[in-house]
Each structure stands twice: as C-alpha cells, then as structure tokens.
Amino acid sequence: MRVFDFDHAIVRRPGRSVVNGLRKGPDAPTYEGVLQEHDAYVAALRAAGLSVDVLPPLEAFADSVFVEDPALVFGEGAILLRPGVASRLGEAEKMRPVLERHFDRVLELEGEQYADGGDVLVTSDEVFIGLSKRTNRTGAEALAQKLKALGRKARVAETPRDILHFKTASSILDEHTVMATRTMADSGVFSGLKVLVVPDGEEGAANFLRLNDTVLVGARYPRTIEMLQKAGFNAKPMPVTEINKIDAGLSCMSLRWKARG
Ligand code: GLY
C-alpha cells in the first residue's frame, strides 16, 4: 500500500505567537521567517497535487501551526489526540470542526490518554506509535485501539531518549523503506523494514515528507538530498531553518490523506 499517496491536506497559518513555540535550543525563530517557510510548504503540497485547507492562526496556541500533533487522519476517518504537553492540549478541540467537515468518523482519546501525532509513523503494514515524553503508554494503547477500529494495525515502540518525537528521527521513504538517524536505526525498532541512515551531521534530515512522488527534505541537509536524488527519488529542498528552531520539521505542519473512492 502506498501510504504516502495523498490528495488532501489541512494546515494552519502560523500566528505571531509562533516565536514562543516550545524549544530546547537558545534561539527563537522570527515570525516572518516561519511564515515564509510555511508559505513555501503550502506551495509544495499543492505542487505535489494536494488540495490544501488553510486554517486561520490561533494566537493562544504558539505551536498550533504543527497540526499533526493534535490529530491523525486516514481515508477511513480521523482521530482527535491529546497532546502530551499542557500548553498544546487545547489544540485538539480547535481541530474538531475541520475534521468533522471532512470525515464521517472522528474518534478521540480521553482522560489520561496522551499522544502526539509526531510520534505516529504510518508504514504500509502497520502504524508505529512511539512512546515519548509526549505519548504515554495509556495513550499509545488507546490509540492502537482507535487505529484498529479504522482498520490499521499498530505497533507500540520506544522513541530513543532525548528525541522529541518518533518522527523527529525517522520517516517513511517508500513501501518497504524508512530513513532514520543512526541512533534510531540501531535501536532495532524497525525490524522487518529496510532502513536507510541519514548522513552523520544531518540528523535533522530524518524528518522529511514523502508526498506522492515527491520527497520534501530540509534544504539544510545537502548530503541527504544528494543521497535521495542518486537513489532516484524526486527530493525537493525546503527551507526549514526557522521551524527547526522550535523543534519541528516537515511532517508536523500538515495532516494529509487520500480520500476514498
Ligand atoms: N515546538 C513543537 C513542540 O514542542 O511540540
């Protein structure tokens, strides 16, 4: 199954508060810089053939441009998650109206079940749910049940320590292959899949985004781009310097799905 084939996406324009997005590093991004990177991202989604819904900014939620953390979507339905950090928990409710517009089935986590979409990697055979500081076991197990209800098999896995999200360090490249950082690859978590490793010093490149026949990759990672191009992939460099400052990458700025039928 080509789980990277999409025809729809939802994104949210960054608000000015994005400069206060959660981060481990010392430097905040600029609002103008994030906006430019977001505009380029939306253009790349459209160029790859997706129809894109652009939601308005939510100033009360600094990280709300990262719409993939509070929700998950599939052709079969959507799941409202419960982000595992207090400042982001309210983002899920803000996603409800757009999900209800697009999907007949909207499932949801509840109570002490916490999971961020950044910890969810969809492969052809199963859906990895990474345990992390944002995704607890109760949340992961509840999410596995919701995925089962949508016809997807889940595998709960460990995210290496010090990595924010499972997809910070790994992405799906094709039906059989993931590409990951050395730490993630060596953890053995991807048994049964082919694993390519990003070049040393380009760990941030492991968060890329396969969209139909295009692979969006951070322009800051030229050796990864060259590696993918040599392997025959249509790797498109994307500006990510500002969003990387708030510990984010290409996958978390959209929800993507292929409509059924
Ligand atoms: N700044 C992205 C996050 O921490 O969720």
Side-chain angles (χ1 to χ4, degrees), residues 124-136:
S124 299
D125 295 329
E126 58 193 345
V127 180
F128 285 85
I129 306 171
L131 298 170
S132 72
K133 289 203 176 84
R134 302 285 181 87
T135 297
N136 64 7

Side-chain angles (χ1 to χ4, degrees), residues 100-134:
E100 289 183 345
R101 265 205 309 282
H102 283 290
F103 298 95
D104 293 338
R105 295 186 77 188
V106 180
L107 309 180
E108 56 193 292
L109 297 188
E110 56 193 40
E112 296 305 305
Q113 301 164 352
Y114 294 106
D116 276 17
D119 284 319
V120 178
L121 177 71
V122 180
T123 71
S124 299
D125 295 329
E126 58 193 345
V127 180
F128 285 85
I129 306 171
L131 298 170
S132 72
K133 289 203 176 84
R134 302 285 181 87

